[in-house]
Amino acid sequence: VFYAWGEPLFVLLLVAVAIVNYAAGLILDRWRSYGFLTVCATVAINVVILVFFKYAEFLTQNCNILCALWGLPKIPEIRIHLPLGLSFFLFQAITYSVDVYRRHCLPAQQFTQVLLYISLFPQLVAGPIVRYEEIAERLKRRYTNLERVAGGLERFIIGLAKKVVIADSLGGVVDALFALPAGEIGMLTAWFAALLFALQIFFDFSGYSDMAIGIGKCLGFHFPENFNQPYRSGSMQEFWRRWHMTLSRWFRDYIYIPLGGNRRGPFRTYLNLLGVFALTGFWHGASWNFLAWGMIHGVFLLLERLG
């Protein structure tokens, strides 16, 4: 109901994703000989859905730029509405299938458990990214009491204050500063705007995470922490261990380590790092700016390792 309120049509997509991954879990449990093929096909389906809805317009625009350079006819641009929370619930769907394949958790025996896991409304739209094994037992049975509800409401109120009182207030100032003509922005003004934007994005995102964790606690779930005072970090590596921790952990366990991690020599390690942060940048948005942002972080991590 929560998701359908904002996405009356694409709620069917969410249900379809749940059906595909639930079926994959049953196949992985009963026919292990088809395990690798099943998990590859399931992950591919999830990735194709993500690429189609999130990156199709970006890809067609860039293809048309190349077509213009080469004198080729343009292709029709694809304009598609991006469903709410698509990146989050697809990443959780991939987590479910891969973890069942790796035997980190048992597959759900009831479709409603997978559907609830993928559509869990507190963290559906903005995270944190929750692994199935972390809440598998809570999906079957959970309890709550007055103390847990009170603690959850306290965490929710803190998150709401971060978002509404701090982040939204800072957002108005940041928008006004960024809207100034380039000739009117001095060095101090630019640094002040960048500092305020850093605070805005932190309080906005961590506020949403706090609200999700708080609501989850009220309902009997324990969601993982997503932020741990990231601006106190002493290095880029430490920053990514403190900022959007569930996303960093996802890319580490499902992309970086399967690519070989740091086990195949320095060159392969650096290549894996840059690849992961290129994907991290594109995950945040379909734009070359996001790719540049991800690569900047990847290069700084690489330089830290070299140092």
Side-chain angles (χ1 to χ4, degrees):
V1 170
F2 173 85
Y3 193 76
W5 191 272
E7 294 287 11
L9 177 61
F10 287 114
V11 68
L12 299 176
L13 175 66
L14 184 146
V15 174
V17 168
I19 292 172
V20 168
N21 287 273
Y22 169 69
L26 295 181
I27 294 172
L28 290 167
D29 184 43
R30 297 175 186 177
W31 296 287
R32 294 296 301 181
S33 58
Y34 298 101
F36 182 73
L37 180 62
T38 300
V39 75
C40 286
T42 307
V43 170
I45 291 171
N46 290 315
V47 171
V48 167
I49 293 172
L50 179 64
V51 170
F52 178 74
F53 282 98
K54 192 168 183 176
Y55 304 104
E57 182 176 345
F58 172 76
L59 291 173
T60 55
Q61 288 174 350
N62 284 275
C63 283
N64 282 331
I65 292 173
L66 294 177
C67 289
L69 291 174
W70 296 337
L72 299 174
K74 290 186 177 182
I75 60 176
E77 288 193 8
I78 302 175
R79 297 186 179 276
I80 306 172
H81 169 70
L82 179 63
L84 287 172
L86 182 75
S87 299
F88 288 97
F89 73 72
L90 283 174
F91 268 30
Q92 293 201 172
I94 292 172
T95 295
Y96 171 76
S97 298
V98 173
D99 282 357
V100 170
Y101 171 72
R102 292 175 174 175
R103 298 191 177 184
H104 290 175
C105 62
L106 295 173
Q109 297 304 310
Q110 297 179 7
F111 170 66
T112 51
Q113 293 169 2
V114 176
L115 181 61
L116 177 57
Y117 166 64
I118 291 177
S119 65
L120 202 55
F121 81 91
Q123 44 76 233
L124 173 62
V125 176
I129 300 171
V130 181
R131 297 186 182 186
Y132 181 77
E133 62 179 313
E134 293 174 327
I135 60 171
E137 291 302 317
R138 295 284 192 270
L139 292 170
K140 300 175 186 175
R141 62 188 69 86
R142 58 191 175 276
Y143 71 94
T144 188
N145 53 38
L146 184 60
E147 182 180 358
R148 289 182 61 86
V149 171
L153 289 175
E154 180 181 3
R155 185 69 180 269
F156 175 84
I157 292 170
I158 290 172
L160 185 63
K162 281 183 177 181
K163 167 69 175 109
V164 176
V165 178
I166 302 177
D168 287 357
S169 299
L170 290 172
V173 179
V174 169
D175 290 343
L177 290 173
F178 284 176
L180 290 173
E184 297 181 15
I185 301 177
M187 183 181 68
L188 291 179
T189 303
W191 277 106
F192 183 62
L195 175 62
L196 291 186
F197 178 70
L199 294 174
Q200 178 201 355
I201 196 171
F202 166 72
F203 283 109
D204 187 278
F205 202 175
S206 67
Y208 273 122
S209 294
D210 286 339
M211 286 189 277
I213 292 169
I215 295 174
K217 190 172 183 179
C218 291
L219 299 176
F221 292 99
H222 178 73
F223 296 155
E225 295 293 335
N226 215 18
F227 291 87
N228 181 22
Q229 301 179 348
Y231 292 149
R232 297 183 62 184
S233 303
S235 67
M236 191 64 73
Q237 293 182 56
E238 184 181 358
F239 175 82
W240 279 103
R241 287 195 292 266
R242 291 170 173 265
W243 177 276
H244 204 344
M245 296 185 290
T246 57
L247 179 67
S248 300
R249 185 179 59 169
W250 195 96
F251 274 104
R252 180 196 67 196
D253 293 346
Y254 299 100
I255 303 292
Y256 180 69
I257 292 177
L259 286 175
N262 57 4
R263 303 186 305 275
R264 298 185 180 180
F267 177 78
R268 184 63 179 271
T269 299
Y270 303 148
L271 192 62
N272 291 341
L273 274 174
L274 292 176
V276 165
F277 273 90
L279 292 174
T280 302
F282 270 134
W283 182 87
H284 281 85
S287 166
W288 292 114
N289 289 339
F290 282 109
L291 173 63
W293 172 85
M295 294 303 293
I296 289 170
H297 281 263
V299 169
F300 273 107
L301 283 167
L302 189 151
L303 293 174
E304 283 184 3
R305 285 179 172 269
L306 288 174

